[in-house]
Amino acid sequence: MSLPKPTFWKAVMAILFLGGAYATVLRFTQGLGAATHLSDAFPWGLWIGFDVLCGVMLAAGGFTLTAAVYIFHLERFRPIIRPAVLTAFLGYALVVVALMFDLGRPYRIWHPLVMWNPRSVMFEVAWCVTLYTLVLALEFAPMVFERLRLGALLRLQRAISIPLVILGVLLSTLHQSSLGSLYLIVPDKLHPLWYSSLLPVFFFISAICVGLAMIIFESYMSAKAFGKQLELPLLISLGRVLLVLLGVYAVLRFEDLYRRGALGYLRHPGYESDLFFVEVGLGLLLPIALLMKRRVRESMGGLYMAAVLVVLGFVTNRLNVSITGMETSAGLHYIPKWTEIAVTGSIVAAGFAIFGLATKYLPVFPPGPAAPAAAPSLPFRAEQPAAAVGVSHVRA
Amino acid sequence: MSKAILYDSTVCIDCKLCEKACAERNKLPYNDAVSAEEVMSAHKLTFVMNRNDKFMRRLCMNCQDPTCASVCPVGALRKTAAGPVVYDESRCIGCRYCMLACPFGVPKYEWSKLLPRVRKCDMCADRIAAGRPTACAEACPTGATKFGERDELIAEARGRIAKAPGQYVDHIYGLEEVGGTSVLLLSSIPFAGFGLRAPNEPLPILTYRVLSELPEVVSVGGLLMGGIWWITNRRSEVADAEAGDRPAEKGGKSK
């Protein structure tokens, strides 16, 4: 349970940032051709597949939890709203950074806001991501206001919080699904194991799954790094929801493969079917099997393992849609250049570093005892939802 | 009326003068090395393909309902009434979605440039506006590439197939493909032999079907969430009141 050796991680980060700095110079002095392995046949690579598609997915915990607490009044989850909103805000900010690398003309990133094409999914995504990043900034703001003791601004933010949350959930629903819709336009290019008219639905449900998994993951990591952890019963509840959603996703996914007659592709071993099994094994089968065991579902370690598997599985899914599934039609294997990986690695490292700093200097985690979650008194306190008690009174 | 190009591969002699004329019009270098490249690129917007001495010209199909124009987030690509699908470089942000989406793999990118553009054939839109044929059609010595009104060229293509049915596959490529294109192709061997495949339905409907749900998602979703909040909020207000100040709440409830 000791802290990860700071010197080791600092060395890893230093190497990543050095590589990233070199790659950045290369990208902005020599162009995309020199800095990437992208080509006319393969115009979207790691920066879109991981940084954008996965980045937005990994940030989905924000809208999931704000909806649960503010709209559905599941007050038990209030203590984990802040880390989720912080992750989401960081995630979206870093997606914008990644786009500055990937766009051929990054200085025109604002063009979709003034040059409209409402028939374009990309146009809708651009608007939603812009607006949602603003919403997240406003949802994140109270942590800063509180720290700086700006009571007036805090009250102002509280007054608009409900419409803000509703707006955030709507925008997230739209663009999380629309990232899948982007690929509806390539029915003959994307491999049948992934091309489906349900792509937007799959992207939306999996975003919520990964959002929940990320909250469990962060809680565990924060406990290790900062001695701050969320109460286990809360995470157990999240684990239950995650299990149900994974089940729904799995049924939809396989039913869709069956209906489209695409299951046959799984009988031929090969590049695509191998990576399909990696995706489904990591993201669906293993975590579902784990979470169905009560002993696993109700332990921190078990939840953590399931969460990591879900994240890895759906990261594989996004990469399969954006890279694996597009390779055969492109007639090549795309392997990112090391400079692409260096930029992506630096962005991820920056995310971890900023998250760490924020939890250190801002009121992200609830104050109080940083006791280990297994303490017997804690579950008891959390299992007393005031609302439930109140409801029984009303009925009586 | 909408203009079009008719390319008849049975008349083509693979002289590549269309390639040369295209390069000149687009101020691109053209020499033996470029001439040998059998692939479209940012510096070669059309080429003649040779498959066992069967020829096929490739260029932007200038679709009637272009996928590239539908996916472009900034409207940099646009179908003109005259037929060409034109590109406005000053709007382009370089997202390359057009390249991903085009069913013919046409738009190409200036990967080596710091401020890259998308490059593709625009059917010599400026020449058409000035009442002239495309550079490739003007340069073609055999009439394999012919410029004219789309309706008239379709009629002519039908006539050629009817007159010499043994010489052609009975198919005008571009008449139906992706909802029709402004470039029409005739061939003596199946088009799949040149890697030319495409569904008959226009592709933009695939994404538009989903996008058109947007107003419903926003209005119904917004109302639904507002309503749920109203109910759950009321419920917790009641719960709070009962927990803290039971008599008052009971008095309120007795009506």
Side-chain angles (χ1 to χ4, degrees):
Chain A
M1 279 288 146
S2 68
L3 272 157
K5 285 196 195 85
T7 44
F8 171 74
W9 286 108
K10 273 179 189 155
V12 169
M13 281 216 181
I15 292 168
L16 267 176
F17 285 139
L18 266 179
Y22 173 81
T24 305
V25 171
L26 191 68
R27 159 68 186 89
F28 290 105
T29 56
Q30 307 296 312
L32 283 168
T36 70
H37 281 169
L38 298 174
S39 61
D40 283 337
F42 213 81
W44 284 6
L46 185 71
W47 290 344
I48 294 292
F50 185 84
D51 302 29
V52 176
L53 294 187
C54 295
V56 168
M57 170 182 75
L58 293 168
F63 90 90
T64 314
L65 266 181
T66 50
V69 173
Y70 289 98
I71 310 294
F72 292 94
H73 270 87
L74 302 174
E75 285 294 327
R76 298 186 296 145
F77 293 112
R78 191 175 283 276
I80 49 181
I81 279 232
R82 287 189 166 187
V85 166
L86 172 65
T87 313
F89 180 51
L90 268 179
Y92 278 81
L94 293 175
V95 163
V96 175
V97 171
L99 275 175
M100 300 304 279
F101 280 83
D102 188 76
L103 290 178
R105 307 268 191 141
Y107 59 94
R108 290 176 177 167
I109 195 167
W110 52 276
H111 273 195
L113 301 181
V114 293
M115 301 174 186
W116 288 27
N117 179 14
R119 288 219 303 169
S120 164
V121 179
M122 184 76 83
F123 166 77
E124 189 227 305
V125 170
W127 263 95
C128 283
V129 169
T130 308
L131 290 177
Y132 187 53
T133 308
L134 286 175
V135 166
L136 279 170
L138 289 172
E139 288 181 344
F140 166 73
M143 296 179 225
V144 180
F145 295 161
E146 217 168 83
R147 167 84 185 160
L148 302 176
R149 297 173 201 284
L150 299 168
L153 285 174
L154 209 54
R155 277 190 295 280
L156 189 69
Q157 202 278 347
R158 227 165 259 160
I160 58 163
S161 67
I162 296 296
L164 207 57
V165 165
I166 294 181
L167 184 63
V169 174
L170 287 175
L171 290 168
S172 295
T173 307
L174 291 177
H175 73 262
Q176 291 283 2
S177 56
S178 288
L179 288 177
S181 307
L182 282 177
Y183 287 87
L184 289 177
I185 204 79
V186 287
D188 296 327
K189 292 186 184 178
L190 183 56
H191 191 279
L193 284 173
W194 291 283
Y195 185 86
S196 161
S197 56
L198 289 182
L199 268 170
V201 178
F202 291 147
F203 267 56
F204 180 65
I205 301 177
S206 56
I208 297 177
C209 291
V210 170
L212 297 174
M214 280 299 284
I215 293 161
I216 298 172
F217 174 77
E218 278 160 25
S219 170
Y220 184 83
M221 294 306 282
S222 309
K224 288 212 138 187
F226 315 111
K228 289 174 180 172
Q229 187 172 10
L230 302 164
E231 292 168 9
L232 184 60
L234 283 182
L235 299 178
I236 293 173
S237 304
L238 289 182
R240 283 198 202 105
V241 179
L242 181 57
L243 175 60
V244 172
L245 281 176
L246 287 175
V248 170
Y249 182 95
V251 169
L252 273 179
R253 183 89 164 87
F254 280 96
E255 195 196 34
D256 172 67
L257 285 169
Y258 171 73
R259 270 193 308 119
R260 291 187 293 107
L263 278 175
Y265 289 95
L266 298 178
R267 261 181 267 126
H268 316 291
Y271 182 63
E272 279 99 357
S273 56
D274 286 353
L275 279 156
F276 174 86
F277 284 122
V278 172
E279 165 194 330
V280 169
L282 289 179
L284 294 175
L285 303 183
L286 276 175
I288 288 177
L290 280 174
L291 289 172
M292 274 168 65
K293 285 203 165 74
R294 190 190 183 113
R295 199 163 45 80
V296 177
R297 191 173 61 229
E298 301 195 343
S299 75
M300 190 63 231
L303 282 170
Y304 172 71
M305 191 139 80
V308 169
L309 285 170
V310 168
V311 170
L312 289 178
F314 284 107
V315 164
T316 312
N317 167 258
R318 295 300 193 263
L319 293 177
N320 279 345
V321 169
S322 58
I323 295 173
T324 316
M326 298 294 286
E327 288 184 320
T328 299
S329 64
L332 53 78
H333 271 304
Y334 161 82
I335 293 158
K337 195 175 174 178
W338 77 266
T339 42
E340 285 175 83
I341 299 171
V343 168
T344 298
S346 298
I347 289 175
V348 173
F352 273 99
I354 300 171
F355 186 87
L357 284 176
T359 50
K360 208 169 186 177
Y361 293 107
L362 295 173
V364 176
F365 286 95
S377 66
L378 290 174
F380 203 71
R381 205 178 62 196
E383 297 265 301
Q384 273 187 352
V389 177
V391 168
S392 65
H393 275 299
V394 172
R395 288 210 188 105
Chain B
M1 284 303 281
S2 156
K3 303 287 183 188
I5 290 172
L6 173 64
Y7 169 78
D8 184 339
S9 67
T10 67
V11 189
C12 181
I13 54 168
D14 195 19
C15 68
K16 296 185 192 287
L17 284 176
C18 52
E19 291 184 3
K20 188 160 179 276
C22 177
E24 273 165 18
R25 185 261 169 179
N26 289 293
K27 299 183 181 66
L28 291 165
Y30 195 78
N31 50 40
D32 288 350
V34 175
S35 151
E37 292 172 10
E38 259 197 36
V39 63
M40 257 186 276
S41 66
H43 65 263
K44 189 164 185 180
L45 310 187
T46 183
F47 70 97
V48 181
M49 189 190 280
N50 185 338
R51 290 275 182 281
N52 304 318
D53 285 334
K54 300 287 182 192
F55 310 124
M56 179 51 65
R57 228 193 114 191
R58 295 298 317 275
L59 66 162
C60 174
M61 302 297 285
N62 290 278
C63 306
Q64 304 284 77
D65 186 0
T67 313
C68 59
S70 93
V71 301
C72 179
V74 290
L77 290 151
R78 190 168 52 86
K79 176 78 174 174
T80 58
V85 175
V86 294
Y87 170 67
D88 180 352
E89 180 262 315
S90 69
R91 298 171 85 100
C92 180
I93 60 174
C95 72
R96 311 184 298 279
Y97 193 19
C98 52
M99 305 176 63
L100 189 89
C102 172
F104 303 106
V106 165
K108 302 297 177 194
Y109 210 52
E110 295 178 324
W111 294 103
S112 55
K113 291 197 179 166
L114 201 51
L115 297 177
R117 290 171 296 174
V118 168
R119 299 305 306 267
K120 72 168 202 71
C121 152
D122 66 350
M123 245 179 99
C124 295
D126 54 337
R127 292 173 58 109
I128 291 180
R132 299 166 66 199
T134 62
C136 56
E138 196 175 73
C140 183
T142 63
T145 296
K146 193 174 171 183
F147 176 79
E149 291 291 334
R150 186 168 188 268
D151 296 345
E152 289 167 19
L153 289 177
I154 291 168
E156 180 167 344
R158 286 205 175 108
R160 290 191 201 177
I161 294 174
K163 205 180 281 178
Q167 210 175 343
Y168 295 97
V169 288
D170 187 11
H171 184 72
I172 305 171
Y173 192 94
L175 186 63
E176 305 276 342
E177 277 75 13
V178 293
T181 63
S182 292
V183 171
L184 305 163
L185 309 171
L186 290 177
S187 169
S188 59
I189 63 165
F191 289 94
F194 301 107
L196 281 165
R197 282 183 201 86
N200 278 353
E201 300 75 40
L203 297 181
I205 189 71
L206 293 173
T207 42
Y208 192 69
R209 221 179 270 148
V210 177
L211 277 178
S212 57
E213 305 287 336
L214 193 144
E216 281 76 14
V217 172
V218 171
S219 56
V220 175
L223 275 172
L224 200 64
M225 277 190 291
I228 292 170
W229 172 80
W230 184 56
I231 292 167
T232 56
N233 191 53
R234 173 68 190 150
R235 192 177 283 173
S236 68
E237 270 174 15
V238 169
D240 286 352
E242 298 219 345
D245 192 7
R246 206 163 293 175
E249 180 60 32
K250 272 194 177 154
K253 266 170 70 81
S254 63
K255 288 165 198 162

